[in-house]
Amino acid sequence: MSELVSIIIPTYNTEKFIRATLQSVINQSYQNWEMILVDDASTDQTVFIIEEFAQNDNRIKLFKLAKNSGNGFARNVALEKATGKYIAYLDADDVWFPEKLEKQIQFLKINNLPFTFSFYDCIDEEGNDLNRRVEAPLNLTYKQLFYCNYVGNLTAIYDADYFGKIALPASQKRQDWRLWLTILKQIKTTKPVPEPLAFYRIRKDSISSSKFKLIKHNFGVYREFHGYNFVFSVLLMMRFLFTQLVVKPRYINNK
């Protein structure tokens, strides 16, 4: 029998995208999943749309926060509710390929890995393919991840029986990178599924769409998460920027 996958999705004012996200999970060839959505006090029709889907599929579970508390808090609430062997993350504006879970879990088992991710393709706000593929080192080490987040949140999955449930840090930004660093610090290295398994939606109003806007949040990873002093954190940020601007682009290709 296939193991249960808990899919964690925080939502906030994503009425424009959430239908496609939900449908991409429903369309999975791997069907033993539970979808745990935590709405972060949306003011649009996001909750109404989710409830429509939940009425027709009892694997879809919605929890609503009384006040806006941020993605990290919402994800941790969802994590508490998760009961699956595997924990998978998906954002409310991204889309999975139909065989995403099936291929990824097979890859985990064949390679005896407790954590993996995959390549992904990029689309714009309207769902148009941008002909852009984001890849990653085929043997990702902790040191490589230390200087650059190669793991797309929408593709990551880990074995909760191996690690336990790993709560995200309280910080509002770069929680995903901090989570992968926590995981790789334990296992030292992992492999991605060497093909795209999801669409990442690039939005004009997204902070993550501009790496320069994220500089202060990346600095916080070194200063706060790792606990380095100010000067050393600045030096690490210089190495980070070099990796981000010179090394990582080698893994971003036209399809």
Side-chain angles (χ1 to χ4, degrees), residues 55-198:
Q55 287 175 3
N56 297 314
D57 195 324
N58 60 16
R59 296 172 298 176
I60 301 173
K61 304 169 184 178
L62 172 64
F63 301 90
K64 293 174 279 188
L65 300 181
K67 65 177 182 178
N68 186 263
S69 303
N71 270 354
F73 185 85
R75 285 176 178 140
N76 283 338
V77 171
L79 184 66
E80 291 176 2
K81 309 291 185 181
T83 61
K85 171 179 172 59
Y86 297 110
I87 305 294
Y89 288 91
L90 178 60
D91 288 330
D93 52 1
D94 296 330
V95 176
W96 281 352
F97 292 6
E99 294 184 345
K100 192 266 187 187
L101 287 179
E102 181 181 358
K103 288 185 175 182
Q104 205 161 20
I105 292 172
Q106 183 180 38
F107 187 83
L108 281 171
K109 292 179 177 180
I110 290 173
N111 292 279
N112 194 28
L113 295 171
F115 167 66
T116 191
F117 58 107
S118 78
F119 300 167
Y120 59 89
D121 291 341
C122 299
I123 56 176
D124 65 14
E125 289 197 23
E126 306 306 320
N128 299 309
D129 195 333
L130 295 174
N131 195 36
R132 179 182 177 189
R133 179 160 295 165
V134 180
E135 301 181 354
L138 295 181
N139 287 285
L140 181 66
T141 66
Y142 176 80
K143 183 177 180 180
Q144 287 173 308
L145 187 68
F146 185 85
Y147 291 111
C148 182
N149 183 16
Y150 290 100
V151 180
N153 183 70
L154 70 165
T155 72
I157 185 169
Y158 72 82
D159 187 339
D161 287 349
Y162 183 94
F163 294 106
K165 294 182 184 180
I166 309 174
L168 277 79
S171 64
Q172 285 290 87
K173 301 298 177 184
R174 308 310 273 163
Q175 309 122 340
D176 55 340
W177 187 22
R178 299 176 192 221
L179 176 57
W180 320 141
L181 284 165
T182 299
I183 287 174
L184 269 198
K185 195 168 187 179
Q186 292 186 50
I187 61 176
K188 308 305 179 187
T189 185
T190 191
K191 300 175 184 290
V193 180
E195 64 177 291
L197 294 178

Side-chain angles (χ1 to χ4, degrees), residues 217-251:
H217 302 298
N218 294 324
F219 178 79
V221 172
Y222 296 119
R223 186 78 175 95
E224 300 160 13
F225 180 69
H226 293 292
Y228 296 123
N229 64 43
F230 181 84
V231 174
F232 192 49
S233 295
V234 169
L235 294 174
L236 291 172
M237 269 302 300
M238 292 174 65
R239 173 69 181 271
F240 170 89
L241 289 172
F242 173 82
T243 305
Q244 192 73 37
L245 297 173
V246 177
V247 179
K248 190 172 184 180
R250 301 172 189 171
Y251 295 97

